[in-house]
Amino acid sequence: SPVLTSKAQKEIDDELVALEERMRALRTRRNSLSPISSIPPELFSTIFVHHAQKTQLLHDPDNPNVLSWLIVGHVCRHWRKVALGTPELWATPFLNSSKATDEMLMRSKMAPLNLRIGRRYRMDSIQKVLMHIERLQVVSLLFLHGDTAGCRCIMEFINKLSSCSAPKLQSLALEVGDKQTPRIAIPISFPAPNLCNLQINHCDLSWASSVLTGLTVLDIKQLSPECLPTLDELISALRRMPALHTLAFRDALPTLSPHTASLPRAPLAMNVHLPLETIAS
């Protein structure tokens, strides 16, 4: 009868499921006997993170291939378990998908976050990552075409930074279109004590800002005329960055008086490389 036939099919289906599970368990046991399975999980984690970072350097942040390292989680159960248990592996959220951003933020747990945008992104994904200000390690927001929503996003982030500490932030790169008004300005109070790399384009800052302290890389382009430093302000800022090794200015240098006879000497401990094309005012 149809009822008996259906019952028999159901029993066979259940047996097949049990057999598939048994086969998976046997494959896992077999894999565990392979020499590579003797590698400690901590070493696997390090290898996976290194592979993911290399992959991210090869592709733009919005290129789906930037996630090609995910294949390590499809090799076997053990590798997948290691990958899911390595928060650093998920610390650079993919911003083209809100779902992917949510999943990577969850899997990254409390690992320092890297935020990099490409030409394509979801603004809600960017905002989700920026909410974790205490975990941000690298922030690169380059809105090359003056994206209005992007500029507003940077303003909100900067305003939040002026009142909240970003203890893990090491690298900050901001760029907006040349028609952005009002101009985005870096606040005088900037609680990011570990910041060592600052790159801004079409953004303004005060030369007395605490952000100009302890940097090793400083790249400033296209300051507003009213924000250009005096020579004394520039030298004073450079003295607060004795470990500076890369300095690039474009339309950000002081205009010297024709009566300037000599320039102040830079500290002997300073090791600054200033490309020739950046010296012209």
Side-chain angles (χ1 to χ4, degrees):
S1 70
V3 174
L4 291 176
T5 300
S6 178
K7 181 179 179 182
Q9 289 176 332
K10 176 67 166 57
E11 289 175 350
I12 293 172
D13 289 341
D14 290 343
E15 285 186 43
L16 288 172
V17 170
L19 284 172
E20 289 173 357
E21 183 57 37
R22 176 63 177 159
M23 289 179 66
R24 278 195 291 267
L26 287 172
R27 282 195 292 266
T28 298
R29 283 179 56 192
R30 187 179 188 283
N31 289 338
S32 68
L33 299 175
S34 301
I36 196 171
S37 295
S38 63
I39 296 177
E42 297 80 8
L43 184 53
F44 265 127
S45 292
T46 301
I47 294 171
F48 290 169
V49 170
H50 179 74
H51 173 56
Q53 291 174 343
K54 286 291 186 181
T55 302
Q56 289 159 2
L57 289 175
L58 290 174
H59 303 287
D60 292 332
D62 56 344
N63 187 332
N65 289 330
V66 80
L67 294 177
S68 60
W69 59 266
L70 285 171
I71 195 172
V72 302
H74 298 274
V75 173
C76 63
R77 283 184 173 184
H78 177 53
W79 283 29
R80 178 174 176 80
K81 182 179 179 181
V82 172
L84 291 175
T86 305
E88 295 80 8
L89 201 55
W90 310 93
T92 305
F94 187 60
L95 303 173
N96 283 22
S97 162
S98 183
K99 183 178 180 180
T101 301
D102 289 340
E103 190 66 25
M104 296 182 80
L105 283 173
M106 181 185 69
R107 294 182 183 182
S108 66
K109 298 181 180 178
M110 293 304 295
L113 295 172
N114 304 310
L115 172 60
R116 299 185 180 94
I117 68 168
R119 295 187 178 185
R120 294 165 294 179
Y121 49 82
R122 288 185 59 92
M123 189 56 64
D124 61 331
S125 291
I126 295 175
Q127 291 170 335
K128 286 175 183 177
V129 179
L130 290 177
M131 287 176 61
H132 299 267
I133 193 166
E134 74 288 347
R135 295 172 55 196
L136 294 174
Q137 177 176 258
V138 174
V139 174
S140 179
L141 297 174
L142 308 180
F143 297 104
L144 306 182
H145 303 294
D147 184 311
T148 303
C151 295
R152 185 165 58 248
C153 175
I154 291 181
M155 285 184 175
E156 292 173 357
F157 171 59
I158 291 297
N159 289 337
K160 189 174 182 181
L161 261 182
S162 63
S163 58
C164 298
S165 177
K168 296 182 179 179
L169 187 62
Q170 296 180 8
S171 177
L172 177 63
L174 303 175
E175 180 172 349
V176 296
D178 57 0
K179 294 181 173 58
Q180 168 63 21
T181 54
R183 297 270 290 202
I184 290 173
I186 306 295
I188 292 181
S189 174
F190 197 89
N194 291 307
L195 187 70
C196 56
N197 184 327
L198 177 65
Q199 302 175 53
I200 59 174
N201 193 348
H202 289 109
C203 299
D204 288 337
L205 83 168
S206 164
W207 290 86
S209 173
S210 59
V211 73
L212 297 176
T213 303
L215 298 178
T216 58
V217 176
L218 178 61
D219 186 333
I220 300 179
K221 296 182 177 70
Q222 308 292 335
L223 283 180
S224 296
E226 60 271 20
C227 289
L228 293 175
T230 65
L231 184 57
D232 287 341
E233 286 174 331
L234 176 60
I235 295 299
S236 176
L238 292 178
R239 290 182 185 279
R240 301 198 302 273
M241 298 177 276
L244 191 69
H245 59 71
T246 301
L247 175 63
F249 285 159
R250 189 176 75 210
D251 294 332
L253 287 172
T255 302
L256 299 181
S257 164
H259 304 293
T260 302
S262 62
L263 299 178
R265 293 177 61 86
L268 294 178
M270 191 176 292
N271 178 24
V272 177
H273 169 64
L274 188 60
L276 183 62
E277 64 269 22
T278 66
I279 297 178
S281 60

Short mmCIF file of all heavy atoms in Angstrom, two decimals, residues 137-176:
data_model
loop_
_atom_site.label_atom_id
_atom_site.label_comp_id
_atom_site.label_asym_id
_atom_site.label_seq_id
_atom_site.Cartn_x
_atom_site.Cartn_y
_atom_site.Cartn_z
N GLN A 137 41.81 48.69 14.40
CA GLN A 137 43.27 48.73 14.30
C GLN A 137 43.72 49.47 13.05
O GLN A 137 44.68 50.26 13.08
CB GLN A 137 43.82 47.30 14.29
CG GLN A 137 45.32 47.20 14.12
CD GLN A 137 45.79 45.76 14.21
OE1 GLN A 137 46.31 45.33 15.24
NE2 GLN A 137 45.60 45.00 13.15
N VAL A 138 43.04 49.21 11.94
CA VAL A 138 43.32 49.88 10.66
C VAL A 138 42.01 50.40 10.10
O VAL A 138 41.04 49.65 9.99
CB VAL A 138 43.97 48.91 9.65
CG1 VAL A 138 44.12 49.59 8.29
CG2 VAL A 138 45.31 48.41 10.16
N VAL A 139 41.97 51.69 9.78
CA VAL A 139 40.79 52.29 9.16
C VAL A 139 41.23 53.01 7.90
O VAL A 139 42.06 53.92 7.95
CB VAL A 139 40.08 53.28 10.11
CG1 VAL A 139 38.94 53.99 9.37
CG2 VAL A 139 39.55 52.56 11.34
N SER A 140 40.70 52.58 6.76
CA SER A 140 41.01 53.22 5.48
C SER A 140 39.70 53.53 4.78
O SER A 140 39.06 52.65 4.21
CB SER A 140 41.88 52.28 4.61
OG SER A 140 42.17 52.87 3.36
N LEU A 141 39.30 54.79 4.85
CA LEU A 141 38.04 55.25 4.25
C LEU A 141 38.39 56.23 3.14
O LEU A 141 38.58 57.43 3.38
CB LEU A 141 37.16 55.91 5.30
CG LEU A 141 36.68 55.00 6.45
CD1 LEU A 141 35.94 55.81 7.50
CD2 LEU A 141 35.79 53.89 5.91
N LEU A 142 38.50 55.72 1.94
CA LEU A 142 38.90 56.53 0.79
C LEU A 142 37.71 56.69 -0.14
O LEU A 142 37.48 55.88 -1.05
CB LEU A 142 40.08 55.88 0.06
CG LEU A 142 41.28 55.50 0.94
CD1 LEU A 142 42.38 54.87 0.11
CD2 LEU A 142 41.81 56.72 1.70
N PHE A 143 36.94 57.74 0.10
CA PHE A 143 35.78 58.04 -0.74
C PHE A 143 36.24 58.99 -1.85
O PHE A 143 36.17 60.21 -1.72
CB PHE A 143 34.66 58.65 0.10
CG PHE A 143 34.14 57.72 1.17
CD1 PHE A 143 34.48 57.90 2.49
CD2 PHE A 143 33.32 56.66 0.83
CE1 PHE A 143 34.00 57.05 3.47
CE2 PHE A 143 32.83 55.79 1.81
CZ PHE A 143 33.17 55.98 3.12
N LEU A 144 36.75 58.41 -2.92
CA LEU A 144 37.47 59.18 -3.92
C LEU A 144 36.60 60.16 -4.70
O LEU A 144 37.09 61.14 -5.23
CB LEU A 144 38.15 58.22 -4.91
CG LEU A 144 39.07 57.17 -4.27
CD1 LEU A 144 39.72 56.32 -5.35
CD2 LEU A 144 40.14 57.83 -3.41
N HIS A 145 35.32 59.91 -4.79
CA HIS A 145 34.48 60.74 -5.65
C HIS A 145 33.52 61.62 -4.83
O HIS A 145 32.48 62.04 -5.33
CB HIS A 145 33.69 59.86 -6.62
CG HIS A 145 34.56 58.98 -7.45
ND1 HIS A 145 35.43 59.48 -8.39
CD2 HIS A 145 34.72 57.63 -7.48
CE1 HIS A 145 36.09 58.48 -8.96
NE2 HIS A 145 35.69 57.36 -8.43
N GLY A 146 33.87 61.87 -3.61
CA GLY A 146 33.06 62.78 -2.80
C GLY A 146 31.69 62.22 -2.47
O GLY A 146 30.70 62.95 -2.43
N ASP A 147 31.61 60.92 -2.24
CA ASP A 147 30.36 60.27 -1.84
C ASP A 147 29.78 60.99 -0.63
O ASP A 147 30.40 61.04 0.43
CB ASP A 147 30.65 58.80 -1.52
CG ASP A 147 29.41 58.01 -1.19
OD1 ASP A 147 28.62 58.49 -0.37
OD2 ASP A 147 29.24 56.91 -1.75
N THR A 148 28.58 61.56 -0.77
CA THR A 148 27.98 62.34 0.31
C THR A 148 27.78 61.50 1.56
O THR A 148 28.11 61.92 2.67
CB THR A 148 26.63 62.94 -0.13
OG1 THR A 148 26.85 63.73 -1.30
CG2 THR A 148 26.03 63.79 0.96
N ALA A 149 27.21 60.30 1.37
CA ALA A 149 27.00 59.41 2.52
C ALA A 149 28.34 59.02 3.15
O ALA A 149 28.45 58.91 4.37
CB ALA A 149 26.23 58.17 2.08
N GLY A 150 29.35 58.81 2.31
CA GLY A 150 30.66 58.45 2.82
C GLY A 150 31.28 59.57 3.65
O GLY A 150 31.86 59.33 4.71
N CYS A 151 31.14 60.81 3.15
CA CYS A 151 31.67 61.96 3.89
C CYS A 151 30.96 62.11 5.24
O CYS A 151 31.59 62.41 6.26
CB CYS A 151 31.51 63.22 3.06
SG CYS A 151 32.50 63.22 1.55
N ARG A 152 29.65 61.89 5.22
CA ARG A 152 28.89 61.97 6.47
C ARG A 152 29.34 60.87 7.44
O ARG A 152 29.46 61.10 8.65
CB ARG A 152 27.40 61.85 6.18
CG ARG A 152 26.52 62.04 7.41
CD ARG A 152 25.07 62.28 7.04
NE ARG A 152 24.53 61.17 6.25
CZ ARG A 152 24.20 61.26 4.97
NH1 ARG A 152 24.38 62.40 4.31
NH2 ARG A 152 23.71 60.22 4.31
N CYS A 153 29.65 59.70 6.88
CA CYS A 153 30.13 58.58 7.69
C CYS A 153 31.47 58.94 8.36
O CYS A 153 31.67 58.67 9.55
CB CYS A 153 30.29 57.35 6.81
SG CYS A 153 31.00 55.92 7.62
N ILE A 154 32.38 59.56 7.60
CA ILE A 154 33.67 59.97 8.16
C ILE A 154 33.47 61.01 9.26
O ILE A 154 34.10 60.95 10.33
CB ILE A 154 34.60 60.52 7.06
CG1 ILE A 154 35.04 59.39 6.12
CG2 ILE A 154 35.83 61.18 7.68
CD1 ILE A 154 35.97 59.83 5.01
N MET A 155 32.59 61.98 9.01
CA MET A 155 32.33 63.01 10.02
C MET A 155 31.83 62.41 11.32
O MET A 155 32.27 62.78 12.42
CB MET A 155 31.32 64.02 9.47
CG MET A 155 31.88 64.99 8.45
SD MET A 155 30.64 66.20 7.94
CE MET A 155 31.62 67.27 6.89
N GLU A 156 30.90 61.45 11.20
CA GLU A 156 30.36 60.81 12.40
C GLU A 156 31.45 60.03 13.13
O GLU A 156 31.51 60.05 14.37
CB GLU A 156 29.21 59.88 12.01
CG GLU A 156 27.97 60.61 11.51
CD GLU A 156 26.91 59.67 10.97
OE1 GLU A 156 27.18 58.44 10.93
OE2 GLU A 156 25.82 60.14 10.59
N PHE A 157 32.32 59.37 12.36
CA PHE A 157 33.41 58.61 12.96
C PHE A 157 34.39 59.54 13.68
O PHE A 157 34.81 59.27 14.81
CB PHE A 157 34.13 57.83 11.87
CG PHE A 157 35.41 57.16 12.31
CD1 PHE A 157 35.41 56.23 13.33
CD2 PHE A 157 36.62 57.47 11.70
CE1 PHE A 157 36.59 55.61 13.74
CE2 PHE A 157 37.79 56.86 12.10
CZ PHE A 157 37.76 55.94 13.11
N ILE A 158 34.75 60.65 13.03
CA ILE A 158 35.68 61.61 13.63
C ILE A 158 35.07 62.22 14.90
O ILE A 158 35.74 62.39 15.92
CB ILE A 158 36.05 62.72 12.62
CG1 ILE A 158 36.91 62.14 11.49
CG2 ILE A 158 36.77 63.86 13.31
CD1 ILE A 158 38.23 61.58 11.94
N ASN A 159 33.79 62.57 14.84
CA ASN A 159 33.12 63.13 16.01
C ASN A 159 33.13 62.15 17.17
O ASN A 159 33.32 62.52 18.34
CB ASN A 159 31.69 63.54 15.67
CG ASN A 159 31.63 64.75 14.76
OD1 ASN A 159 32.57 65.54 14.71
ND2 ASN A 159 30.54 64.90 14.02
N LYS A 160 32.91 60.88 16.86
CA LYS A 160 32.92 59.85 17.89
C LYS A 160 34.31 59.67 18.46
O LYS A 160 34.50 59.47 19.67
CB LYS A 160 32.40 58.53 17.32
CG LYS A 160 32.15 57.45 18.37
CD LYS A 160 31.51 56.22 17.76
CE LYS A 160 31.23 55.16 18.82
NZ LYS A 160 30.63 53.94 18.23
N LEU A 161 35.33 59.77 17.59
CA LEU A 161 36.72 59.63 18.03
C LEU A 161 37.12 60.73 19.01
O LEU A 161 37.98 60.53 19.85
CB LEU A 161 37.65 59.66 16.83
CG LEU A 161 38.15 58.32 16.28
CD1 LEU A 161 39.09 58.54 15.12
CD2 LEU A 161 38.84 57.50 17.36
N SER A 162 36.50 61.90 18.87
CA SER A 162 36.88 63.02 19.74
C SER A 162 36.41 62.81 21.17
O SER A 162 36.89 63.49 22.08
CB SER A 162 36.30 64.33 19.18
OG SER A 162 34.90 64.29 19.20
N SER A 163 35.50 61.85 21.37
CA SER A 163 34.98 61.62 22.72
C SER A 163 35.20 60.19 23.21
O SER A 163 35.03 59.91 24.40
CB SER A 163 33.48 61.95 22.77
OG SER A 163 32.76 61.17 21.83
N CYS A 164 35.56 59.28 22.29
CA CYS A 164 35.79 57.88 22.67
C CYS A 164 37.23 57.49 22.34
O CYS A 164 37.78 57.92 21.34
CB CYS A 164 34.83 56.96 21.91
SG CYS A 164 33.09 57.24 22.24
N SER A 165 37.81 56.68 23.18
CA SER A 165 39.18 56.25 22.95
C SER A 165 39.24 55.12 21.91
O SER A 165 38.36 54.26 21.86
CB SER A 165 39.80 55.77 24.26
OG SER A 165 41.11 55.29 24.06
N ALA A 166 40.27 55.17 21.08
CA ALA A 166 40.52 54.10 20.11
C ALA A 166 41.91 53.54 20.42
O ALA A 166 42.88 53.81 19.70
CB ALA A 166 40.45 54.64 18.69
N PRO A 167 42.02 52.74 21.48
CA PRO A 167 43.34 52.32 21.98
C PRO A 167 44.12 51.43 21.03
O PRO A 167 45.35 51.35 21.13
CB PRO A 167 43.01 51.58 23.27
CG PRO A 167 41.59 51.10 23.08
CD PRO A 167 40.93 52.17 22.28
N LYS A 168 43.45 50.76 20.09
CA LYS A 168 44.15 49.84 19.19
C LYS A 168 44.40 50.41 17.81
O LYS A 168 45.06 49.77 16.99
CB LYS A 168 43.35 48.53 19.07
CG LYS A 168 43.23 47.78 20.39
CD LYS A 168 42.47 46.47 20.24
CE LYS A 168 42.39 45.73 21.57
NZ LYS A 168 41.62 44.47 21.45
N LEU A 169 43.91 51.62 17.55
CA LEU A 169 44.04 52.21 16.23
C LEU A 169 45.50 52.53 15.92
O LEU A 169 46.14 53.30 16.63
CB LEU A 169 43.20 53.47 16.13
CG LEU A 169 43.10 54.12 14.74
CD1 LEU A 169 42.45 53.17 13.74
CD2 LEU A 169 42.33 55.43 14.80
N GLN A 170 46.03 51.93 14.85
CA GLN A 170 47.42 52.14 14.46
C GLN A 170 47.56 52.88 13.13
O GLN A 170 48.56 53.56 12.90
CB GLN A 170 48.14 50.79 14.36
CG GLN A 170 48.24 50.05 15.68
CD GLN A 170 48.95 48.71 15.52
OE1 GLN A 170 49.50 48.39 14.47
NE2 GLN A 170 48.93 47.92 16.58
N SER A 171 46.57 52.72 12.26
CA SER A 171 46.66 53.32 10.93
C SER A 171 45.32 53.94 10.55
O SER A 171 44.28 53.28 10.66
CB SER A 171 47.07 52.25 9.90
OG SER A 171 47.10 52.80 8.59
N LEU A 172 45.36 55.20 10.10
CA LEU A 172 44.15 55.91 9.72
C LEU A 172 44.38 56.61 8.39
O LEU A 172 45.30 57.41 8.26
CB LEU A 172 43.76 56.94 10.79
CG LEU A 172 42.54 57.81 10.50
CD1 LEU A 172 41.28 56.97 10.37
CD2 LEU A 172 42.37 58.88 11.59
N ALA A 173 43.55 56.29 7.40
CA ALA A 173 43.62 56.93 6.09
C ALA A 173 42.24 57.44 5.72
O ALA A 173 41.27 56.67 5.71
CB ALA A 173 44.12 55.94 5.03
N LEU A 174 42.14 58.75 5.44
CA LEU A 174 40.86 59.37 5.12
C LEU A 174 41.01 60.19 3.85
O LEU A 174 41.98 60.94 3.69
CB LEU A 174 40.40 60.29 6.26
CG LEU A 174 40.24 59.67 7.65
CD1 LEU A 174 39.91 60.75 8.68
CD2 LEU A 174 39.18 58.59 7.65
N GLU A 175 40.03 60.04 2.96
CA GLU A 175 40.05 60.84 1.74
C GLU A 175 38.62 61.09 1.30
O GLU A 175 37.77 60.19 1.30
CB GLU A 175 40.81 60.13 0.62
CG GLU A 175 40.83 60.94 -0.68
CD GLU A 175 41.74 60.34 -1.75
OE1 GLU A 175 42.51 59.42 -1.42
OE2 GLU A 175 41.68 60.79 -2.90
N VAL A 176 38.35 62.34 0.94
CA VAL A 176 37.03 62.71 0.42
C VAL A 176 37.24 63.52 -0.86
O VAL A 176 38.36 63.89 -1.19
CB VAL A 176 36.23 63.54 1.45
CG1 VAL A 176 35.94 62.72 2.68
CG2 VAL A 176 36.98 64.81 1.83
#
